[in-house]
Amino acid sequence: EQNVFSQVEKEFGRTLSPIECEIINGWLDTGNSEELIVGALKEATYNGVKNLRYIDKILYEWGKKGFKTMNDVTSHLKSTDENKNNPELFDYDWLDDDE
């Protein structure tokens, strides 16, 4: 089992700078789990971005939504996908407008 630092190094293809290590330590200190950080790393890599700022933004957005584990993220994505399959095009019934 690799730790989060070695996984980031592997994805970036280089060793981390001391500042990058401090950023990752900051994520861990603020309550982000290694699982969540690795999930954000995978999301960034999937989008073709190898940048800690991008990963930080992902973690920030997930934190705003209350995600604590990757299960929270995947269940949210599944529910979003289900809603996309049944979109409501209009919330206003313009055919029955009395004006």
Side-chain angles (χ1 to χ4, degrees), residues 11-12 17 37 47-48 54 60 71 80 90 99:
E11 289 295 330
F12 283 12
S17 71
I37 294 170
N47 289 316
Y54 191 82
Y60 174 75
N71 285 337
T80 303
F90 301 101
E99 294 179 14

Side-chain angles (χ1 to χ4, degrees), residues 15-41:
T15 58
L16 295 174
S17 71
I19 291 176
E20 290 172 323
C21 291
E22 287 299 317
I23 290 170
I24 295 170
N25 276 325
W27 293 336
L28 293 168
D29 291 343
T30 57
N32 291 300
S33 66
E34 285 194 16
E35 174 198 23
L36 205 61
I37 294 170
V38 170
L41 171 66

Side-chain angles (χ1 to χ4, degrees), residues 8 11-14 27 37-58:
V8 173
E11 289 295 330
F12 283 12
R14 61 177 174 79
W27 293 336
I37 294 170
V38 170
L41 171 66
K42 288 180 181 178
E43 179 73 18
T45 303
Y46 176 76
N47 289 316
V49 181
K50 294 181 180 179
N51 185 319
L52 287 186
R53 248 189 254 152
Y54 191 82
I55 297 169
D56 189 57
K57 185 67 174 171
I58 293 170

